[in-house]
Amino acid sequence: MRFRKTLATALAIGVALVAVPSASAGGHSKRCESDRACLIEGNDFPGGTLSIDADVIGGPNTLVRIRYKGDHGERCVTEFWVNDPPRSWVCHNVPPGHYRVVIDTSERHDVFVVGVRW
């Protein structure tokens, strides 16, 4: 009897933990090859916290700039070097609606990878 109660409680907690993130999860990613910039944008961001992931592969070790732009202007600007490992950061209190993430550098590179998730 105690085993069934424990199992039922564990299953209920497991279902709650799985259901909550998947209900609010979303995002998009893009890979751009042989260029100086990569853009990802959409109109379906529900608002709140936006996570951004970026990487640049190949080419000279130049400075990479990543910018998040929403309907209300530029926010969450950061920079890293091409030889650095992939980067992630979070923008808080982002309004819902249109989003645009741009990753660019002064030189051509083999691959840009950028993703947004919420």
Side-chain angles (χ1 to χ4, degrees):
M1 180 80 138
R2 196 177 325 167
F3 174 75
R4 285 185 185 177
K5 196 181 257 187
T6 304
L7 180 60
T9 303
L11 287 173
I13 291 171
V15 168
L17 290 175
V18 170
V20 173
S22 64
S24 62
H28 304 278
S29 64
K30 187 174 183 179
R31 177 186 172 109
C32 302
E33 297 188 23
S34 299
D35 211 340
R36 290 177 37 187
C38 192
L39 166 71
I40 186 169
E41 64 183 323
N43 292 311
D44 56 350
F45 179 60
T49 301
L50 182 69
S51 298
I52 302 170
D53 308 307
D55 192 16
V56 179
I57 304 163
N61 190 25
T62 55
L63 196 59
V64 178
R65 184 172 182 196
I66 308 166
R67 299 170 283 148
Y68 159 75
K69 293 179 173 183
D71 292 332
H72 305 286
E74 190 170 273
R75 298 170 47 135
C76 292
V77 177
T78 192
E79 295 177 333
F80 68 94
W81 292 95
V82 170
N83 288 348
D84 288 350
R87 299 291 180 164
S88 296
W89 80 100
V90 177
C91 300
H92 296 284
N93 301 317
V94 177
H98 185 78
Y99 64 87
R100 181 181 313 133
V101 175
V102 180
I103 178 173
D104 60 8
T105 186
S106 61
E107 300 286 333
R108 291 183 75 90
H109 293 279
D110 296 339
V111 178
F112 287 79
V113 180
V114 61
V116 295
R117 55 194 160 85
W118 56 84

